[in-house]
Amino acid sequence: MADANDNAKRSLRDRAFAWYWERQAKRANDLSAFRQLTLRRRAELDRIAMKIEARLTRADEADATAPGAEWTHRPDIFSLPQDQTIWSNPASGLHPGPGLSIYHDSDGGAFTLAQRPARGEDSALKFELFFESYEFRGSYLSLVLAAPDHVRRPKAGEVLAVEIDLAASRQVKAFLRLNMKASQTSDVLHADGTIGDGRARFEFDMSFAAFEPAANDRLWLDIIFDRPRMVEMSIRDLTLSLTTRGVA
């Protein structure tokens, strides 16, 4: 019965929406201007639909990437096209997409970042983040991934896991920092490893963190690539997930 009522309400809203725009069309004095208005509204609806599709896709992918996780977060740059897709020698502090920032200490040279269509044969994602460096005059390149405000913060006995799917021309050393900051407490957990082709997983055991979640707290991850010179890297996937110890 509830489904029938929901369908009836949805049908009524659809008819009212169509009636409103048909009436506006009949009343319009400047049809050219009205056409531009409707095209803008359609573009806005298309953007909303694209974001909804990306969220649904991310939910399906999260189940496959981190089974048993309470939540999984993946930056939009892997699912949604960005307004700008190529950055040549970008300044430190670049924001290539929502919730993702790039920092480095290179003072010159030649390196490029790009969002490009996914090239992995087994990739379920639409895009990947590509890095190419021939003359990187710095000691690090850092990806900063912010956890969304709406997800529950981890507590003792839980694990915050990071998974990186990478294709690289050579192995690179990576240092990871999980930063937690609240009004009364703050802490940083560390992990590191050498990564190359394939998927790498890093875990942060919250039993070792002195952190008490609070309103307006912040949680973010630094992935620091050590001296990324003369290397090509395609980050095919990057996820942050919350699980209970022993569920991975």
Side-chain angles (χ1 to χ4, degrees):
M1 187 66 179
D3 290 342
N5 289 336
D6 289 342
N7 290 335
K9 291 178 181 178
R10 191 176 302 113
S11 177
L12 180 60
R13 286 195 298 268
D14 291 343
R15 291 199 302 271
F17 182 84
W19 172 82
Y20 170 81
W21 283 104
E22 288 174 1
R23 188 181 66 169
Q24 294 297 103
K26 292 177 180 178
R27 292 181 174 183
N29 294 321
D30 187 340
L31 290 178
S32 179
F34 183 75
R35 179 178 180 275
Q36 293 301 318
L37 173 64
T38 57
L39 290 175
R40 287 197 300 271
R41 292 294 181 267
R42 186 171 69 180
E44 291 170 2
L45 290 172
D46 287 343
R47 283 194 294 270
I48 293 172
M50 186 179 295
K51 290 182 178 180
I52 293 172
E53 179 184 355
R55 289 178 60 185
L56 291 171
T57 302
R58 287 199 298 271
D60 292 340
E61 293 158 354
D63 293 339
T65 303
E70 178 176 326
W71 57 258
T72 299
H73 172 61
R74 173 183 288 111
D76 284 350
I77 198 167
F78 297 100
S79 302
L80 289 173
Q82 303 302 305
D83 293 335
Q84 183 176 350
T85 58
I86 299 176
W87 302 269
S88 180
N89 296 324
S92 184
L94 171 72
H95 300 289
L100 184 66
S101 303
I102 308 291
Y103 294 90
H104 62 82
D105 64 347
S106 178
D107 60 357
F111 71 99
T112 302
L113 285 162
Q115 181 198 46
R116 69 182 189 184
R119 299 189 178 185
E121 294 181 359
D122 58 347
S123 177
L125 298 172
K126 293 183 178 180
F127 303 100
E128 61 187 23
L129 183 61
F130 177 69
F131 170 80
E132 182 180 48
S133 167
Y134 293 107
E135 191 181 0
F136 186 85
R137 297 177 184 172
S139 62
Y140 75 90
L141 176 81
S142 176
L143 276 64
V144 180
L145 172 61
D149 293 335
H150 67 271
V151 300
R152 185 178 68 78
R153 296 321 194 215
K155 59 185 179 181
E158 296 179 328
V159 172
L160 211 61
V162 183
E163 291 209 22
I164 307 172
D165 188 7
L166 187 72
S169 59
R170 64 172 175 85
Q171 290 189 325
V172 291
K173 183 71 173 180
F175 300 92
L176 289 83
R177 292 191 309 223
L178 179 64
N179 306 275
M180 299 155 282
K181 187 174 181 61
S183 56
Q184 301 296 324
T185 60
S186 62
D187 204 351
V188 179
L189 296 180
H190 298 85
D192 65 83
T194 300
I195 56 178
D197 281 337
R199 187 174 289 272
R201 179 182 175 91
F202 300 88
E203 294 186 349
F204 297 95
D205 190 337
M206 297 306 296
S207 298
F208 297 100
F211 174 65
E212 296 180 5
N216 300 318
D217 60 13
R218 296 177 60 211
L219 183 71
W220 73 97
L221 174 74
D222 298 322
I223 304 174
I224 304 166
F225 295 105
D226 183 46
R227 304 184 185 281
R229 300 187 182 109
M230 297 297 292
V231 64
E232 292 183 1
M233 296 188 297
S234 293
I235 302 175
R236 298 182 294 202
D237 195 8
L238 173 60
T239 59
L240 187 64
S241 61
L242 177 63
T243 61
T244 302
R245 169 56 69 191
V247 173

